Amino acid sequence: MKQNEEILSEFETIENSSKKIPKKLPVLPVRDVVLFPYMIFPLLIGRTSTLKAVSEGVSKDKYIFVTSQKNSKVEEPSFDDVYEYGTIARIVQVLRLPNNLLKVLVEGLFQGKIKKRYKNDEYLEAEIQVIKFDSFDSKNKTLNAHIRYATELFREYVKNEPGLPADILTAFDNIEDHTQKLFFAAANTRAEIPDKQRLLEATTMVDQYFQLGALLKTEIEMQSMEQEIGTKVNEQIHKTQRRYFIQEQIRILQNELGGDEEEPSSELAQIKEMIEKAEMPQHAKDKAMEEFERLKKTPTMSPEFSVNRNYLELLAQIPWKKTTIDNLDVNHVKNILDEDHFDLEKPKERILEFIAILNLAGKLKRQILCFVGPPGVGKTSLAKSIARALGRNFVRFSLGGVRDEAEIRGHRRTYIGAMPGKIIQSMKKGGTINPVILLDEIDKMSMDFRGDPSAALLEVLDPEQNANFNDHYLEVDYDLSSVMFITTANVKYDIPLPLLDRMEIIELTSYLDPEKLQIAKKHILPKIIEEYGLTDFKIDFTDEAILKIIREYTREAGVRNLEREISSVLRKLSKEIVEDYFLNLTNKNLINNLATKNKESLVTGVLKDNQDFKRKVKRKKYKVTPETIEQYLKSPKFKEKSNKLDDKIGVVNGLAWTSVGGDIMPIEVTIMPGSEKLTLTGKLGDVMKESAVAALSFIRSNTSSLSLKEEFNKKSEIHIHVPEGAIPKDGPSAGITMGIAIISAVSGKAVRGDVAMTGEITLRGDILAIGGLKEKLLAAKRAGMKDVIVPKDNMPDILDISDEVKSGLNIHFVEHLSQALSIAFKDYNLTNNIIKIKKTQK
């Protein structure tokens, strides 16, 4: 600011020294204005660089070059930020204002062009070329025509522009110089800067008047559009005001008459009719009529009117008594469930029990079912089948990522944009009071400062409370007791305990290879063949081909990837069929006609109109074999490595449970010279790290009993690594595996490669129960294991596992780590002085 004050003080001492226009002039960038010749315009100056430019201009006979900025937001413009063409102006007056500002009155003299730029750190400076045109030629007909056309347009523009003074046309007519007249007209329009700038850049008077005419024509069209829009707006406002006044008059007359007359508004009458037909319970109807009376007294222009109207429409549209009749035929329900899903005996049995009790008791307080299992095992589709079997409407909404309580209970109507919660919306969508509502991914909910949606679900999923469910938007109790709620989750432990207590957990475990084979044959293949229009072709998908996809191209608990791979095979097969038959047909016009005229698919049209071709298609058989699979899907993704079953020192096969099923998890241990410490790698969780420490502590305290070297860890570093280090791993079930791996590394004895194990270890060497036993046994069988070591406490779980899983596996139940040594090692001798060896149960 001090620098600006110094510059301003210079204007008091600088005097005019020459009347000749210098070639080298300071450049003054201006924003949002174009200065034309013959135009006197005040400029407000505040930037340091422009102050210095004005100061220099005053010193050079008060001449300065004024040009417009291309972008008005640039604070310190360079030559690239201003237009090349501008106006050479004379500084008429300089006034000093408060806040270190200058008001500079400039008069435009000539058009100019920047010819040469000079380097100046304080302000812009350039050599300016003066642009002068020839004098007016009255014999130039083209020029006279342009002048007359532009003059008429300017007169029309001024008449329709309310912002211009009344005497502007008088001033325009009094100007005799056609050049001055041109710039006067351009300066008094609202045109954009680039449009005005084109006038300065024109090289002849004809071009300038042509640009002026185009500019005025555009502005007149804009005026016309503005007037049209203004007329429409005024008509709408007038119509709305007139309607409001009439409605107010009618309302006042109704009040005078006692309010007994028929509703004047068809909209209100329609809402009242909806309320009467909704068959609401008395408490809901009282609330609806109360809101209806308030709506009648609310002006339609008021925002409150639409809020109350939407509320009443919702009250009338949600079901209060409408219901569907359940199909209680047990055999029918069983057939539907079997038709849609293979296996899944436990959930099917639970649904049949529910139907049986309904047959006997007539009504039953609903127990909420929760299907828990990995992705792709059929949780959502099973809920759809239940609704179809019972003859009920089905509604699904996902709870994944829901973190706001209002998503369940709704928003209060005081908020702008309030709406009911997901439950009431689902009831409206279902259309009856007894739909099947699926709450998908209930384990994926979260919470934040807006509330906990899982807490709001406690009332919804409690049969003792949901008969009086209260939505914040609805404000009246709603009966959910007839609704059949089904929830799904991938992991049971991620469901909040109070919510888990209200549900009956039905676990859907991973599918076995034979089960996947049957699902593919009975459900996936028929569905895709029909979808791809291949029903008229004889496609033989062999069992070996399907099993090859299952074992070598997918690794999952469900069948989603299996369906994708089968779809890929059938797409490639479809391409071959089209290439073999349709691209080589002699009558190609037939194909085009069938595909366009009849609007049918290519295949369907040809089969319908070409009987000879149809017979050929029926005779042709397409067989999909394992060799075909490899040809279509290329190299297998999950080829088993033969060296996995080799006996190794310090490497033990563990069994892990994942969200997509079981898997083999090899654990590696090595001992090397170094500081006495335990190193754990492989992105392990805290629980898994603690299991490793517990296993090591047990082994160190029982070295003599385990026939190990005393103080084996002295001056040694023990490194435990779990491969595939980028994948997070956690849980206590790898304790026994880590213990056996440490013993193998210390003793130098190799562990059998065809043995896998799982179990939690304690400091006393006891082996505790684990979860996911079926998935782990399936993983062991898939990997070619012969013996599996599991905790004895898991013996009851074996009863629920099918013989298909257990066949081919020697399952050993152990209570203590010492019992696993004779199984894991081919020869291992113990000294029985501390640990009492218990007989291995098999």
Side-chain angles (χ1 to χ4, degrees), residues 662-678:
D663 200 2
I664 294 292
M665 183 177 65
I667 293 179
E668 303 172 346
V669 176
T670 186
I671 301 177
M672 51 195 166
S675 58
E676 299 179 13
K677 67 175 183 178
L678 174 64

Side-chain angles (χ1 to χ4, degrees), residues 640-656 663-669 688 721-723 733-742 744 750-759 776-777 779-790 820 823-825:
E640 296 291 343
K641 296 180 181 179
S642 58
N643 62 351
K644 280 189 175 181
L645 302 183
D646 295 343
D647 298 350
K648 297 184 183 68
I649 298 175
V651 180
V652 183
N653 294 317
L655 294 172
D663 200 2
I664 294 292
M665 183 177 65
I667 293 179
E668 303 172 346
V669 176
M688 199 167 182
H721 176 68
V722 184
S733 63
I736 185 174
T737 315
M738 291 181 177
I740 297 294
I742 294 173
S744 173
V751 180
R752 289 172 54 193
D754 58 355
V755 174
M757 58 193 70
T758 180
K776 292 179 179 180
L777 293 178
K781 185 175 182 180
R782 190 189 303 121
M785 299 295 161
K786 293 181 179 179
D787 294 273
V788 180
I789 301 172
V790 298
I823 306 166
F825 297 93

Side-chain angles (χ1 to χ4, degrees), residues 21-47:
I21 300 176
K23 289 185 177 181
K24 186 178 180 181
L25 290 176
V27 178
L28 178 61
V30 293
R31 290 185 276 200
D32 301 326
V33 67
V34 175
L35 181 69
F36 292 108
Y38 307 102
M39 177 180 174
I40 298 177
F41 195 82
L43 300 174
L44 196 63
I45 307 299
R47 294 183 291 198

Side-chain angles (χ1 to χ4, degrees), residues 825-841:
F825 297 93
K826 291 183 178 179
D827 54 342
Y828 196 95
N829 298 319
L830 293 175
T831 56
N832 190 15
N833 57 356
I834 292 180
I835 305 174
K836 184 178 180 181
I837 304 301
K838 300 180 180 179
K839 184 178 180 181
T840 302
Q841 298 190 37

Side-chain angles (χ1 to χ4, degrees), residues 612-664:
D612 180 58
F613 179 76
K614 191 171 183 180
R615 286 192 295 270
K616 291 181 180 179
V617 168
K618 285 188 175 182
R619 288 198 301 267
K620 177 71 173 178
K621 188 174 183 180
Y622 299 91
K623 190 171 185 178
V624 181
T625 62
E627 292 74 19
T628 313
I629 296 298
E630 197 153 341
Q631 177 187 346
Y632 288 151
L633 302 181
K634 307 305 177 186
S635 59
K637 301 175 183 178
F638 302 100
K639 198 76 173 179
E640 296 291 343
K641 296 180 181 179
S642 58
N643 62 351
K644 280 189 175 181
L645 302 183
D646 295 343
D647 298 350
K648 297 184 183 68
I649 298 175
V651 180
V652 183
N653 294 317
L655 294 172
W657 180 92
T658 69
S659 60
V660 295
D663 200 2
I664 294 292

Side-chain angles (χ1 to χ4, degrees), residues 34-72:
V34 175
L35 181 69
F36 292 108
Y38 307 102
M39 177 180 174
I40 298 177
F41 195 82
L43 300 174
L44 196 63
I45 307 299
R47 294 183 291 198
T48 302
S49 59
T50 54
L51 288 173
K52 290 183 178 180
V54 172
S55 174
E56 183 66 19
V58 173
S59 67
K60 292 188 176 181
D61 294 340
K62 298 188 178 180
Y63 291 110
I64 195 168
F65 183 69
V66 181
T67 182
S68 300
Q69 288 185 207
K70 296 177 182 178
N71 185 356
S72 62

Side-chain angles (χ1 to χ4, degrees), residues 436-712:
V436 174
I437 295 183
L438 175 65
L439 309 180
D440 217 357
E441 309 293 352
I442 199 170
D443 58 328
K444 304 296 190 302
M445 285 187 299
S446 56
M447 61 179 292
D448 61 8
F449 64 93
R450 289 170 290 189
D452 184 2
S454 64
L457 279 176
L458 294 177
E459 180 185 3
V460 176
L461 301 182
D462 192 338
E464 301 295 334
Q465 302 179 40
N466 61 13
N468 299 302
F469 173 69
N470 191 280
D471 185 274
H472 290 160
Y473 182 88
L474 210 60
E475 294 183 352
V476 294
D477 291 342
Y478 190 82
D479 187 4
L480 298 174
S481 60
S482 299
V483 179
M484 184 175 188
F485 287 103
I486 299 176
T487 65
T488 69
N490 294 130
V491 183
K492 177 174 65 175
Y493 306 104
D494 290 340
I495 304 174
L497 287 177
L499 204 57
L500 192 64
D501 183 60
R502 286 164 167 77
M503 299 185 294
E504 179 181 348
I505 304 298
I506 297 178
E507 295 194 5
L508 279 67
T509 55
S510 306
Y511 289 121
L512 306 176
D513 289 356
E515 293 171 342
K516 291 182 180 180
L517 175 63
Q518 295 301 320
I519 292 171
K521 291 170 63 177
K522 295 181 179 179
H523 300 282
I524 297 177
L525 272 171
K527 181 180 74 172
I528 300 176
I529 287 174
E530 181 179 358
E531 180 182 345
Y532 289 177
L534 299 172
T535 51
D536 289 306
F537 297 89
K538 290 184 177 181
I539 298 176
D540 181 14
F541 223 114
T542 64
D543 292 356
E544 292 77 13
I546 298 174
L547 288 173
K548 185 177 180 66
I549 296 177
I550 293 170
R551 292 167 181 169
E552 299 183 16
Y553 291 90
T554 63
R555 187 63 56 86
E556 59 179 340
V559 291
R560 283 181 182 161
N561 286 328
L562 175 61
E563 183 173 352
R564 292 190 189 101
E565 298 297 338
I566 292 176
S567 298
S568 179
V569 171
L570 290 177
R571 284 197 302 271
K572 296 181 187 302
L573 185 61
S574 301
K575 180 186 173 188
E576 284 190 4
I577 294 172
V578 172
E579 289 176 346
D580 289 345
Y581 289 95
F582 297 100
L583 297 183
N584 296 320
L585 285 176
T586 55
N587 191 0
K588 291 187 177 180
N589 292 328
L590 171 65
I591 299 173
N592 295 329
N593 292 335
L594 290 171
T596 57
K597 183 179 178 180
N598 296 338
K599 296 182 180 179
E600 295 178 333
S601 70
L602 193 61
V603 177
T604 307
V606 173
L607 293 181
K608 181 178 179 182
D609 287 33
N610 193 335
Q611 296 299 323
D612 180 58
F613 179 76
K614 191 171 183 180
R615 286 192 295 270
K616 291 181 180 179
V617 168
K618 285 188 175 182
R619 288 198 301 267
K620 177 71 173 178
K621 188 174 183 180
Y622 299 91
K623 190 171 185 178
V624 181
T625 62
E627 292 74 19
T628 313
I629 296 298
E630 197 153 341
Q631 177 187 346
Y632 288 151
L633 302 181
K634 307 305 177 186
S635 59
K637 301 175 183 178
F638 302 100
K639 198 76 173 179
E640 296 291 343
K641 296 180 181 179
S642 58
N643 62 351
K644 280 189 175 181
L645 302 183
D646 295 343
D647 298 350
K648 297 184 183 68
I649 298 175
V651 180
V652 183
N653 294 317
L655 294 172
W657 180 92
T658 69
S659 60
V660 295
D663 200 2
I664 294 292
M665 183 177 65
I667 293 179
E668 303 172 346
V669 176
T670 186
I671 301 177
M672 51 195 166
S675 58
E676 299 179 13
K677 67 175 183 178
L678 174 64
T679 302
L680 300 168
T681 57
K683 206 168 186 180
L684 310 183
D686 292 337
V687 177
M688 199 167 182
K689 291 178 180 178
E690 291 168 0
S691 296
V693 175
L696 180 59
S697 297
F698 166 73
I699 294 169
R700 288 181 58 190
S701 60
N702 295 278
T703 52
S704 60
S705 302
L706 296 170
S707 302
L708 299 177
K709 181 182 175 182
E710 295 285 346
E711 298 182 349
F712 63 85

